[in-house]
Amino acid sequence: MTITDPSAFGSQPSGEDDPSVRLPLVEGAGENFSSVTDAVASIAELPVERTNRAWIICFAISVSLLGMLGLLILHLITTGVGVWGNNNPAYWGWPIVNFVFWVGIGHAGTLISAILFLTRQNWRTGVNRAAEAMTIFAVVCAGTFPGIHIGRVWVAYWLFPLPNQMAMWPNFRSPLLWDVFAVSTYATVSLLFWYMGMVPDLATFRDRAVNNTRRIAYGIFSLGWTGSSRHWHVYERAYLLLAALATPLVLSVHSVVSFDFAVSQLPGWHTTIFPPYFVAGAIFSGFAMVLTLMIPARQFFGLKHIITMRHIDVMCRILMATGLMVGYAYSIEFFVAWYGGVQYESFAFVNRAFGNYWWAYWIMVSCNVLIPQVFWSKKLRGNLWVVMIVSITTNIGMWFERFVIAVTSLTRDFVPSSWGYFSPTWVDITMFIGSFGLFFTLFLLFLRFLPVVAIAEVKTVLPQAHAHGEDHAESHSAGGSAAAPASRHDA
Amino acid sequence: MHGPIEIPTTDQVTVTGLSKPALIGLGVGVAGLAATAALGASAGDDMLHFGHSMLVAIVFFLSISLGALFFTLLQHVTSAGWSVVVRRVAEAMTAAFPILGLLVLGVLVVPVLMGKPWIYDWADSAFVGAHELVQHKAGYLNAKFFLVRVIAYFAVWIGVSRFFSSQSLAQDVDQDKARTLKMQGRSGISMIAFGLTLTFAMFDFMMSLNAEWFSTMYGVYMFAGAFWSSLATLALLTMWLEKRGQLKGVVTSEHYHDIGKLMFAFTVFWSYVAFSQFMLYWYADIPEETHWFNYRIWGDWNGFALLLLVGHFAIPLLGLMSRHVKRNRSVLAAWAVYCLVFHFVDLYWNVMPEMVNGVAGGDPATTGPQFDLMDLTAMIGVGGLFAFAILKRIDGKPALAIGYPRLPESMAFQNI
Amino acid sequence: MSDQKKHDEIHGIVAYFDDVDSVMSAARKVRDAGYKKWDTYTPFPVHGIDEAMGTKPTILPWIVLGMGLTGLTCGLLLQWYTNAYDYVFLISGKPDWSLPANIPVTFEVVILFSAYTAFFAMLGLNKLPHLSNPLHKLPKFSRVTADRFAICVEAKDPNFDAGRVRAILGAETSELEDCPVDTSRAALPLWFHAVMALVTCATFIPLSLAVKGRFATSEKPRYHVWPDMDFQRKRKSQTGWEGFEDGRSMRLPVEGTIPRGELRDDFELYFGVAQGAPVPPHVTFDGGAMGGDNFQWLSSFPTAVVVDDAFLERGRERYGIYCGVCHGAQGNGLGAVALRAAAIDAEQWGWVSPKALQSDSAKAYTNGELFHIASNGISSMKGYGSQITPKDRWAIVAFIRAIQASQALEAAPADLPDGTDFEPVPTIKDVRLSEASVDAPAAGSEPAGEAR
C-alpha cells in the first residue's frame, strides 16, 4: 500500500469518525493567512464608539466590582484583619481559600501553553493566548489575598530576602516563603511567556494600525519585530525553552501551595498525595475557567472557526480526566486515613464527610467528581449549555474543595476544647466577589485591545503553512523540512 | 521520507524465528528460579532473603509490563498518532501478565496463605497479635482478601491487555477503522481500572512490607518508576526489532526522540514524587511516618539513598537533556539500560531493608544491604520467564500495527 | 558606477512572495549565491526555512543552561547565607542548613534565572528592541507580519551586487523593490528627549531616598503609617493621669502591706549587713550618705545560703552570664566589653575599666561589700539587683572568692597552699602592651566573654 501525498490524510474534512483523518484545526474551507489575521485583529481594531454593547455592560459591572474590592481592601487595611471571619481556631479562612482557588485557575494557561506545546497538541493554538492571559490575571487575584492577609501591608517587602533595618532574613524553612517564591516566579514566567508569544502579533497590529497612537503603542511593545527568519529561529528556541521551564514550574507551584498545608501535622492536611492532587485539581479548575471564558468569547467575537467545537470537546475530556484524578485522590486519602490507623486522621476524614461541614464536602464531591462524568457522552460534550454549566459547577466545586481542606481541619483539630465553627463576614463574601471584578476587568481589557488568539501560531497549523514535498526533495535528506500537516495536529 | 510513504507489507514486518530464543528464555527462567529456590532453602533464614529477592524481581518486571499497559492506554485515550509504530512493541510487553500472575500467586500469595512471613510480616498471626496497628488493618491485610485482590488485579491487567492486543492484531488483517474507535472508546474506563489496580497492587505488594507504614503517594511513586523503566525497555526492544529488520525504515530517530523525551520527563516526575513524599514526612517529623525513611536514609542504607539521588535523578536529568542523546540510537540504548539498572536500585532500596525488619527481629538501620547471589538469580529467573512470554507473543506476528489507520501519520512524524 | 552609487543609497533589495514554497525556493537560491547579510521575513515561523537559509543553530540553550546553574548556586547560597550563616535561628527543630526544605526555593530560583535568560538572551541575540528599521518604511513590507513573505538582501553584504541580486530574486518573483537607507533615525522630537531625561532622573528618586534614610540622621520622630498600634489608648507606667486623685497613672501598694515576695527581713541575705543593724535607706557607696555608720558589712556568708560545690557552680554560671562580659571569664577585667572600651578609648567619656577581681583592692572588700556592689553597682557599673536573685548574687560572690584564691594577676601569692591549681592571668596592661588586636585575647581566653 502506498500513499503518495502525505498531506492527503491531513486536510480532508470527511467524516469525523474516520480515525485516519485529522480534522483541520481551523474550520472553514477558505481560511488563509489574511482571514485569520483579519478575524483576530478586527476585534482590537474596532473603533471605540463601536464597541460591542455586551462588552461595555460586562466591563461596567467588572469595574464597579473592582472599585468595591479596592474600597474593601482600604477598609481592611485601616481597620485590621479582624474584619474577616478568621478567628481562633480557623486562622485560615476565606482569604487562603480564595488564594488557592485563584492560583489553581491560573494553572490551565501555562499548562496549555507549555505542556501541550511540548506534547505537540496543536489544537492549543486557538486558545493558548487567552488561557495565558487568564493565568496572569488569576495570579494577580491570587496574589492579592496573601498580600492583604499579612495585616501590615506596608511591610510586605519583609516577605522577600531584602536587607532591612532589623537585620533579619526570611525563614527559608517555611513553606509560606516557598509560596512567595513559587507564586512570584510563576507570575513572572507566565508574564514573560505571554508577552513573548504576543510580540509577533503585536507587530501585526502595529503594521495594520490606522492611526499614530496605535502605531506607537503597539510599535513600542512589539520591540521592532520584523518577522525575520533569523529572529524566528532564536525566538522559537527561546519559546521551547520557556515551555520546558514552565512545565516543571507549573507542577511546582501548586505543589508548593499544597506544602503550605501538607508539611503541617494537622489531620487532613498532612498527607503525601497532596502535591500531585493539588496539581490535578488546579488544572481541573483552570480548564473549567478556560471553558467558562472561551464559550462566550467565541460567541461574541466571531471566533467560532478558530476556537472550534473540537477545542471544546478536547477540553471537556481533559476536564473529565483531571476530575477523575481528583476523585482518585479523594478516595486514596480516605482509604489511607483508615489504613494508616491514626485515629485523628480517620476522624478528620469522617468529619469531613459527615461532620459540621458535610454540605461543603458533598458539594465538592458532586461538583468535582460526579457532575463532570456527563462528559462521557459525546453528545453532551457538544452541547454548549451543558459544557458551560459543568464548567461553572466545577469552579464552584473546586472553591469548596479548598474550603473543605482549610476549614474542616482547622475547626476540628486534636483537642476538642479548641474546636470551633467558621463563619464568613460580609467583608469575606464581598471581597471574593470583588476579586472577580479584578479578574474580569483585566480579562475584558485584554479581549478588547490585545491579540486574543495567537495569530502567528494559528497560521502555522493552516495547511498553507507547509512547503510541499515534491518541490524541494533536497531538504528531505537533511531531515529538516516540511512535516506532513497531520503529524502536527494531534499526537 | 516525505515522498511516498511505503506502508510495509505484512510479510516484511512479521517476526519469525523467535521460538528458539523464547525456549532459551524459558530454560534460563526455570533454571534461575530453581537456583534461587535452592539458594533460598539453603540460606537457613526462613526463606526471608528468597522471598524479598523474588519480590524485587517480580515487581521489577511487573512494573515494566504495567508501564507498557499504561503506554498503550495512553496512546488510545489521546488518539495519538506519533506512537503507532512502536505501540505493537508496548502491547507485546504486556504479554507477561499471566506468567507474572502465576509467580505472584506462587511466591507472594501462597506463603501468606500458609501463614509464613517470608515476605509479609502481616501473614504471621503472632506478629499481628503483637502489633495493634496491624490488627487494625487485619480487615484488609489478611490472606483471603489478599488472594481475592491479586486475582482481581491480574484479571483486570490480563483482560485489558488482551483486549487491546487482540483488537490491534485483528486490525492487521481486516483494516477495520471501527476497531480504532472501539479501542479509543474503551481506553478511558480501562485507564481508571488501571489506576486503581496499580495503586492497590503496589500498596499490597510493596507498601505492606512494613505493615505499619503508609503513604497516600506511594501508588504514584511506584507508577512513576514503572513507566520510566517501561519506556527504557520499549526503546531497547524497538531497537532490537529494528536491527532484526522488522521495524527497519519504519521507526526513525524522531520516534526515539519522543521516547527519550518521555524518559526525561519521567526522570523529573519520579524525582518530584519521591522528593515530595520524603520531604513531607521529613518536615512533619511524626514517628509513625518517619521510621520507614529513618533506616533507609539515615541508617546503613544511606549509601543507597544517596545513589538514588544521584543516579535516579541528577545523572539522567543531565544525561537525557540533550536532543542529540535522544536521537542517537546507541546512546539512547545505553541510557535505557542505565534506567533499568536504577529502577532495580530503587526497588531494592524499597524492599530489602524490610527483610531484617519486623518478624526477623533485626534493625535495618544497622544491618545495611546484604547482597546475595539470590538477588541476581531471582532477576535472571523472572527475567527469563518475562522474556519467554514476550518473545512468544512477538513471534509469528507483525511487529507493526499495519492495519492501524494512523500508521502513515506515525511514519511521517517529525518533531518540530 | 551606477551600481556603486546604489550601493551607497539603498539599505537593501526586497523581494515579496505569496506562499511558503516560493519563498523557500528563493531562499535556497540566495543561500547558494553565498550571501551572508540577508534575511527572510515571514508572518509565522516557517518549518524548514532554517535549513533553506543555512541558519546555524543558536547558542541560546547554552546561555540558558549556564544561567540555570548560576541560579542553582545563587538559590542555595542565598538560603545558606541568610538562614545558616548570617542570621541563625532555630525553628521547628530543623537544622539551620536544611537542604530538603531549601529545595523548593532553589528550584524556583533556577527557573526564574533561566526564564529571564531565555527571554532577554532572545532579545539580545536578535538585537531587539530595534524600533527604527528601514524596512518598516516600506508600505508593502507591512503585510509581512500578516500574510506575505519577503526576502531582503542587504547592501552591507560584502558580495552585494544589486544587479546580481535582482537577477536572482527576479527569477523567483516579480515584486522587487529597493529599500532606501533610513535617514529619519535622529529625528526624535526634542520633547521626547526631555521626557526621557526627566523619567530617568525620576527613577533615581526612590533610590536616593533610601540612601538618605540609611545614612542621614534626623531629629524628627519616625513616620507612623497607622498610629493606632504605635499610640495605644492606655497609660504607660511612670506617667501621669488626671483620672486618679494623686495624678499618677500607677497605684501605690495599700499602706501597711508588703507585696508577696517583697519582704526583706533577712538583712544578711538581702543587704549583706549583719542582722539587727539598721537598714540602709538608700544605698550608695560613698560612706557618709549611707544613713549612719552604725551597720557592719557581712564578712562571711548569710546563714540562708550553703556554700558548697553546687553553689559555686551556680555562681560560675551566673557570673558567666552577667559579669563575664565586662570582668572576663577569669575575672581579670578582660571581658569583651572592656576590650572594646579599651580599643575605642572610652575613658575619655568617663568609662571606668572593670576591675580585675584578683586585684588587691578587690580582695580587700568584705563579702557584704561585694554583694552590695553586685546589687547596686559602683562607678560606671550598674546594679544587677533587679536581674539576679539575692541567692545567685551570693553565689557570684562565692565564685569571685574562689577566683581570687586560685588565680593571681602576675605571680603566685606567697601564701598559696601546696597543690592548689593556680595560674597567672593576663591583665589589661598586657593586652595594651602586646598591641594585640582587640579580638585576639578575647577569643583565646575568654569563651564566656564572647558576646555578639
Side-chain angles (χ1 to χ4, degrees):
Chain A
M1 181 168 67
T2 302
I3 294 175
T4 41
D5 180 8
S7 66
F9 50 79
S11 52
Q12 291 169 1
S14 64
E16 64 179 295
D17 278 347
D18 185 348
S20 63
V21 172
R22 296 291 192 190
L23 292 176
L25 287 163
V26 179
E27 281 179 355
E31 289 302 335
N32 56 36
F33 303 137
S34 323
S35 66
V36 169
T37 312
D38 283 340
V40 181
S42 60
I43 302 171
E45 286 167 354
L46 205 64
V48 176
E49 61 276 12
R50 284 181 48 211
T51 305
N52 188 326
R53 181 162 298 174
W55 186 91
I56 295 178
I57 294 170
C58 293
F59 189 70
I61 296 172
S62 306
V63 169
S64 336
L65 290 176
L66 172 62
M68 179 180 81
L69 178 70
L71 291 175
L72 286 166
I73 291 176
L74 199 66
H75 172 59
L76 173 93
I77 292 172
T78 52
T79 314
V81 287
V83 299
W84 281 330
N86 303 8
N87 208 338
N88 189 9
Y91 286 116
W92 274 6
W94 278 39
I96 194 91
V97 174
N98 298 344
F99 160 69
V100 182
F101 171 77
W102 280 117
V103 168
I105 284 176
H107 273 59
T110 310
L111 182 98
I112 292 176
S113 39
I115 298 181
L116 300 188
F117 176 74
L118 294 180
T119 51
R120 292 185 306 272
Q121 302 290 310
N122 284 342
W123 59 269
R124 69 185 261 288
T125 52
V127 290
N128 71 328
R129 175 66 46 72
E132 286 163 28
M134 184 199 80
T135 287
I136 292 158
F137 305 148
V139 171
V140 168
C141 292
T144 307
F145 284 98
I148 55 181
H149 195 274
I150 58 174
R152 292 184 285 163
V153 287
W154 52 95
V155 289
Y157 65 93
W158 286 355
L159 289 169
F160 295 94
L162 300 169
N164 58 51
Q165 66 269 37
M166 299 183 300
M168 270 174 63
W169 296 106
N171 172 22
F172 281 98
R173 282 158 288 179
S174 161
L176 297 178
L177 189 68
W178 308 345
D179 226 1
V180 172
F181 274 77
V183 174
S184 51
T185 302
Y186 187 57
T188 312
V189 175
S190 302
L191 198 63
L192 285 179
F193 206 21
W194 181 58
Y195 175 60
M196 195 173 125
M198 218 153 42
V199 166
D201 296 348
L202 290 172
T204 307
F205 279 20
R206 172 200 66 204
D207 289 344
R208 289 171 59 100
V210 287
N211 61 45
N212 266 337
T213 321
R214 296 178 68 89
R215 187 174 300 123
I216 291 171
Y218 289 123
I220 288 173
F221 285 105
S222 60
L223 308 173
W225 183 263
T226 52
S228 147
S229 292
R230 294 181 202 279
H231 288 185
W232 277 120
H233 172 71
V234 183
Y235 175 93
E236 280 200 288
R237 185 50 53 157
Y239 198 80
L240 180 73
L241 284 169
L242 273 182
L245 292 165
T247 301
L249 178 67
V250 75
L251 289 184
S252 83
V253 174
H254 230 59
S255 299
V256 167
V257 172
S258 81
F259 291 160
D260 290 348
F261 298 92
V263 298
S264 75
Q265 298 173 340
L266 198 67
W269 286 11
H270 179 57
T271 171
T272 48
I273 196 132
F274 256 39
Y277 153 44
F278 265 52
V279 171
I283 294 166
F284 181 50
S285 65
F287 269 97
M289 191 55 117
V290 173
L291 281 171
T292 315
L293 296 175
M294 287 289 91
I295 291 173
R298 72 192 277 276
Q299 225 69 19
F300 290 138
F301 292 111
L303 293 172
K304 287 185 199 169
H305 57 299
I306 294 177
I307 303 168
T308 62
M309 285 310 288
R310 207 173 124 215
H311 287 104
I312 292 170
D313 185 75
V314 174
M315 286 196 280
C316 288
R317 276 150 60 181
I318 293 180
L319 199 70
M320 189 170 68
T322 45
L324 284 167
M325 288 182 207
V326 170
Y328 167 87
Y330 295 161
S331 1
I332 297 298
E333 267 186 340
F334 250 92
F335 172 72
V336 173
W338 170 81
Y339 178 88
V342 181
Q343 53 182 356
Y344 299 110
E345 204 71 37
S346 327
F347 170 76
F349 281 92
V350 173
N351 179 56
R352 268 187 197 177
F354 307 108
N356 273 344
Y357 292 100
W358 62 270
W359 47 273
Y361 183 83
W362 292 108
I363 290 176
M364 161 186 118
V365 169
S366 28
C367 288
N368 291 350
V369 185
L370 304 180
I371 295 178
Q373 302 309 315
V374 301
F375 288 151
W376 285 102
S377 150
K378 192 179 174 68
K379 206 173 147 205
L380 291 176
R381 293 201 297 267
N383 183 329
L384 289 180
W385 285 107
V386 174
V387 176
M388 196 68 191
I389 289 168
V390 174
S391 67
I392 290 171
T393 56
T394 298
N395 274 315
I396 296 173
M398 283 310 290
W399 189 89
F400 272 98
E401 180 192 299
R402 280 67 176 248
F403 179 80
V404 165
I405 292 171
V407 172
T408 54
S409 287
L410 280 172
T411 52
R412 289 284 182 279
D413 64 357
F414 301 96
V415 192
S417 62
S418 68
W419 288 2
Y421 192 84
F422 174 85
S423 309
T425 62
W426 66 272
V427 182
D428 277 314
I429 298 165
T430 42
M431 234 177 207
F432 180 51
I433 297 170
S435 67
F436 280 92
L438 172 59
F439 179 79
F440 279 105
T441 303
L442 293 169
F443 196 77
L444 286 165
L445 285 173
F446 160 75
L447 280 185
R448 181 68 182 81
F449 296 108
L450 289 174
V452 193
V453 171
I455 310 173
E457 286 196 44
V458 171
K459 286 173 192 165
T460 63
V461 300
L462 290 174
Q464 300 94 305
H466 305 280
H468 291 95
E470 55 276 15
D471 290 347
H472 46 279
E474 60 160 317
S475 72
H476 300 150
S477 52
S481 164
S487 69
R488 297 172 54 92
H489 287 181
D490 278 33
Chain B
M1 200 166 95
H2 299 285
I5 286 177
E6 290 284 346
I7 302 287
T9 60
T10 312
D11 288 347
Q12 279 172 324
V13 295
T14 300
V15 189
T16 50
L18 285 185
S19 50
K20 207 169 157 200
L23 280 179
I24 294 173
L26 182 64
V28 168
V30 172
L33 289 185
T36 317
L39 284 168
S42 62
D45 62 354
D46 221 3
M47 301 303 269
L48 273 174
H49 207 121
F50 168 79
H52 287 80
S53 291
M54 283 301 289
L55 179 64
V56 173
I58 291 172
V59 173
F60 180 85
F61 289 102
L62 180 63
S63 60
I64 290 175
S65 286
L66 283 171
L69 181 59
F70 176 75
F71 185 87
T72 312
L73 292 177
L74 185 68
Q75 308 315 319
H76 286 301
V77 90
T78 55
S79 321
W82 72 273
S83 58
V84 178
V85 293
V86 295
R87 215 190 53 234
R88 177 60 53 78
V89 184
E91 283 163 12
M93 282 157 64
T94 63
F97 280 128
I99 216 155
L100 288 167
L102 288 178
L103 281 169
V104 166
L105 281 175
V107 182
L108 269 53
V109 180
V110 168
V112 171
L113 287 172
M114 297 189 322
K116 299 270 187 213
W118 291 1
I119 303 175
Y120 300 110
D121 295 339
W122 50 265
D124 184 43
S125 50
F127 179 85
V128 176
H131 293 79
E132 208 176 318
L133 265 177
V134 187
Q135 274 171 39
H136 167 80
K137 21 191 126 161
Y140 181 79
L141 291 182
N142 62 60
K144 278 187 196 128
F145 193 22
F146 184 52
L147 175 67
V148 172
R149 287 198 305 270
V150 167
I151 291 172
Y153 301 149
F154 279 94
V156 169
W157 296 337
I158 294 171
V160 171
S161 59
R162 275 281 157 83
F163 170 78
F164 284 95
S165 307
S166 59
Q167 286 291 325
S168 178
L169 284 170
Q171 203 177 31
D172 287 352
V173 182
D174 62 14
Q175 318 263 347
D176 185 1
K177 287 172 179 172
R179 289 189 194 277
T180 301
L181 296 175
K182 194 172 169 191
M183 284 191 277
Q184 278 171 205
R186 300 260 177 101
S187 57
I189 195 84
S190 309
M191 203 63 135
I192 297 174
F194 168 83
L196 289 174
T197 47
L198 175 123
T199 306
F200 282 96
M202 289 309 165
F203 281 2
D204 290 347
F205 299 164
M206 300 289 284
M207 199 167 85
S208 79
L209 278 171
N210 185 331
E212 295 193 329
W213 189 73
F214 55 90
S215 166
T216 41
M217 177 95 111
Y218 200 77
V220 185
Y221 174 71
M222 282 289 131
F223 160 73
F227 195 48
W228 195 60
S229 57
S230 174
L231 289 164
T233 316
L234 178 66
L236 288 172
L237 265 178
T238 309
M239 282 174 210
W240 178 64
L241 285 171
E242 198 188 349
K243 208 162 212 176
R244 285 186 100 253
Q246 280 81 24
L247 292 176
K248 202 167 181 64
V250 177
V251 179
T252 65
S253 45
E254 303 294 337
H255 302 105
Y256 290 113
H257 189 179
D258 262 22
I259 295 174
K261 282 195 252 180
L262 281 171
M263 277 163 68
F264 177 75
F266 271 77
T267 306
V268 178
F269 185 71
W270 178 90
S271 316
Y272 159 72
V273 174
F275 170 74
S276 301
Q277 178 170 277
F278 159 69
M279 198 276 290
L280 290 176
Y281 279 173
W282 170 83
Y283 201 106
D285 208 9
I286 299 175
E288 290 95 308
E289 298 165 349
T290 49
H291 65 107
W292 194 88
F293 283 110
N294 273 342
Y295 45 81
R296 279 183 175 79
I297 293 183
W298 283 280
D300 278 4
W301 283 87
N302 62 350
F304 254 78
L306 215 60
L307 188 66
L308 276 180
L309 173 68
V310 176
H312 209 303
F313 164 63
I315 293 177
L317 177 83
L318 296 171
L320 285 166
M321 207 178 259
S322 158
R323 73 188 254 120
H324 305 293
V325 168
K326 288 173 276 207
R327 295 177 77 88
N328 182 321
R329 284 172 182 72
S330 37
V331 179
L332 187 68
W335 278 107
V337 173
Y338 176 94
C339 292
L340 289 173
V341 170
F342 272 88
H343 182 53
F344 174 78
V345 173
D346 180 25
L347 292 175
Y348 200 82
W349 178 77
N350 265 273
V351 170
M352 282 316 209
E354 302 300 342
M355 186 173 73
V356 293
N357 208 7
V359 171
D363 180 7
T366 52
T367 319
Q370 294 172 311
F371 303 106
D372 193 287
L373 193 57
M374 266 182 272
D375 300 336
L376 192 65
T377 54
M379 283 296 288
I380 293 172
V382 182
L385 295 182
F386 180 79
F388 163 71
I390 290 176
L391 295 179
K392 198 101 177 45
R393 164 66 67 81
I394 296 176
D395 192 28
K397 300 188 185 73
L400 183 68
I402 45 172
Y404 199 75
R406 293 193 188 110
L407 182 60
E409 179 187 334
S410 177
M411 290 171 66
F413 158 70
Q414 280 209 324
N415 277 289
I416 300 167
Chain C
M1 199 187 84
S2 65
D3 272 350
Q4 184 58 41
K5 203 179 170 194
K6 280 215 169 72
H7 188 177
D8 294 336
E9 284 171 352
I10 63 171
H11 170 75
I13 296 171
V14 188
Y16 297 98
F17 305 87
D18 281 321
D19 59 65
V20 177
D21 288 336
S22 49
V23 76
M24 292 268 265
S25 139
R28 283 197 187 84
K29 300 268 165 55
V30 180
R31 175 196 69 189
D32 294 342
Y35 289 106
K36 297 278 175 262
K37 298 261 179 208
W38 67 286
D39 212 338
T40 312
Y41 299 88
T42 59
F44 56 89
V46 174
H47 196 65
I49 195 116
D50 296 339
E51 181 271 332
M53 289 174 61
T55 312
K56 296 218 165 48
T58 168
I59 56 157
L60 182 81
W62 294 104
I63 304 177
V64 173
L65 180 68
M67 283 306 284
L69 293 174
T70 312
L72 179 76
T73 319
C74 291
L76 285 172
L77 271 181
L78 170 73
Q79 294 175 81
W80 167 78
Y81 176 76
T82 54
N83 281 185
Y85 179 77
D86 188 48
Y87 189 81
V88 182
F89 60 105
L90 179 68
I91 192 141
S92 66
K94 299 281 174 287
D96 299 332
W97 177 224
S98 296
L99 213 47
N102 292 342
I103 299 297
V105 170
T106 309
F107 171 79
E108 303 299 341
V109 175
V110 170
I111 297 288
L112 192 64
F113 273 50
S114 312
Y116 267 128
T117 310
F119 179 73
F120 287 107
M122 184 278 286
L123 293 186
L125 290 172
N126 285 343
K127 301 194 175 63
L128 293 175
H130 183 147
L131 298 184
S132 170
N133 189 326
L135 289 169
H136 288 323
K137 301 283 171 194
L138 302 175
K140 275 171 118 180
F141 193 80
S142 67
R143 279 186 64 190
V144 166
T145 53
D147 52 7
R148 301 204 74 197
F149 305 82
I151 288 179
C152 173
V153 183
E154 289 178 25
K156 277 186 284 185
D157 192 290
N159 298 329
F160 186 78
D161 173 346
R164 188 159 160 254
V165 171
R166 284 202 192 94
I168 294 170
L169 291 174
E172 302 289 328
T173 179
S174 57
E175 285 185 74
L176 283 182
E177 75 177 312
D178 290 353
C179 175
V181 170
D182 185 15
T183 50
S184 61
R185 187 170 301 193
L188 275 173
L190 191 65
W191 63 262
F192 183 81
H193 290 283
V195 168
M196 286 315 287
L198 274 176
V199 168
T200 311
C201 292
T203 55
F204 285 101
I205 293 176
L207 186 68
S208 47
L209 284 178
V211 170
K212 178 174 173 285
R214 181 74 186 77
F215 294 106
T217 53
S218 166
E219 295 193 348
K220 287 187 195 146
R222 75 177 181 86
Y223 180 67
H224 298 276
V225 184
W226 307 122
D228 55 351
M229 290 281 270
D230 299 332
F231 307 107
Q232 296 176 14
R233 298 184 59 193
K234 66 176 186 190
R235 292 291 123 192
K236 295 199 169 166
S237 51
Q238 314 296 352
T239 57
W241 186 42
E242 64 283 3
F244 288 125
E245 231 173 73
D246 59 0
R248 308 176 197 228
S249 63
M250 297 177 80
R251 303 291 76 218
L252 294 170
V254 177
E255 225 168 289
T257 62
I258 294 175
R260 186 177 290 269
E262 300 266 306
L263 181 61
R264 300 277 185 262
D265 57 345
D266 184 345
F267 288 9
E268 290 183 356
L269 180 65
Y270 291 109
F271 302 103
V273 299
Q275 192 69 11
V279 183
H282 57 277
V283 266
T284 62
F285 202 60
D286 4 315
M290 196 86 71
D293 290 344
N294 53 349
F295 69 90
Q296 222 180 342
W297 292 113
L298 202 61
S299 57
S300 58
F301 284 88
T303 46
V305 303
V306 181
V307 182
D308 56 8
D309 275 358
F311 192 65
L312 277 173
E313 181 56 31
R314 175 77 180 165
R316 191 191 64 75
E317 188 205 358
R318 296 290 104 179
Y319 177 89
I321 292 171
Y322 295 105
C323 317
V325 284
C326 289
H327 289 285
Q330 292 165 303
N332 54 358
L334 290 190
V337 174
L339 293 172
R340 177 74 186 147
I344 62 172
D345 200 12
E347 281 175 23
Q348 57 179 314
W349 301 298
W351 167 262
V352 179
S353 292
K355 183 166 282 198
L357 298 174
Q358 295 91 341
S359 62
D360 291 339
S361 59
K363 282 181 183 171
Y365 288 130
T366 60
N367 284 359
E369 283 168 306
L370 277 181
F371 176 84
H372 181 80
I373 294 167
S375 309
N376 301 295
I378 181 169
S379 65
S380 55
M381 167 179 163
K382 77 176 193 92
Y384 284 80
S386 59
Q387 281 154 277
I388 317 176
T389 64
K391 280 193 180 171
D392 283 348
R393 270 174 268 152
W394 281 113
I396 290 170
V397 170
F399 177 67
I400 290 172
R401 290 297 183 219
I403 292 178
Q404 290 170 342
S406 63
Q407 298 172 350
L409 291 175
E410 273 132 25
D415 58 342
L416 193 71
D418 283 349
T420 309
D421 189 9
F422 179 85
E423 56 177 315
V425 292
T427 65
I428 195 114
K429 226 184 293 172
D430 300 329
V431 175
R432 283 190 179 142
L433 285 175
S434 70
E435 292 176 355
S437 77
V438 168
D439 295 336
S445 62
E446 309 283 332
E450 275 183 47
R452 291 178 64 102

